[in-house]
Amino acid sequence: MSYEVPRGPIRRSRRPILVPPLIGVAVVVAAWLSGPIPARLSAPAESPAPATAAPLDSALTSCPELRPLACRDTIRAAQLVLEPGFAPIASATAWRSLMCGDDFDCPRGTLDGARPAGSVVFTFTDGSSAAVNVLWVDVSSRRFEDGTERLRAYVVRWFAAGS
């Protein structure tokens, strides 16, 4: 077997050499210009509102079914969803399960892709109370699926004083 190359004139290749790299660069630039900004550069959609209320004193909280750290985080996420106009909080009790009576309390679209963190029942000094569900929601970007989760809360029920 011989490894010698036959001698002859050097001919120009019929395959364009620069076309594949140029197409690759064009695709990358087009994706960069039209694609969403990665989650690490922008605020996630489920990010909590800035904290406007001070965290509750531990004497006002009760967590019969949750560990202390999970209890604190769940109550804090639920507290942040309350509007500033509410009466001061007299007590907060966190539970491991969600408060779901029907599809209005726990919409399937809200529960899809989320893990329950628990529910919190707030009692206010004016005698009213509110039930808040708290979920772990995946906020990973589509490009970087790192499993980043954030707590998201929503008010399930509101009971006026005396009801």
Side-chain angles (χ1 to χ4, degrees), residues 92-152:
T93 305
W95 301 93
R96 187 175 32 179
S97 61
L98 297 179
M99 299 185 84
C100 297
D102 52 28
D103 282 344
F104 292 113
D105 293 342
C106 297
R108 292 173 198 229
T110 302
L111 298 179
D112 286 345
R115 290 185 306 119
S119 60
V120 179
V121 177
F122 291 106
T123 305
F124 301 96
T125 55
D126 66 355
S128 60
S129 61
V132 179
N133 279 344
V134 182
L135 302 170
W136 284 105
V137 179
D138 183 16
V139 294
S140 299
S141 71
R142 285 175 277 171
R143 292 183 185 174
F144 306 105
E145 293 189 16
D146 59 357
T148 303
E149 291 185 317
R150 300 273 190 273
L151 286 170
R152 188 179 76 178

Side-chain angles (χ1 to χ4, degrees), residues 56-81:
L56 288 177
D57 183 18
S58 61
L60 299 176
T61 63
S62 168
C63 296
E65 298 178 346
L66 292 173
R67 294 184 309 251
L69 182 62
C71 173
R72 186 196 69 194
D73 291 344
T74 303
I75 289 177
R76 185 69 180 143
Q79 184 184 9
L80 291 176
V81 79

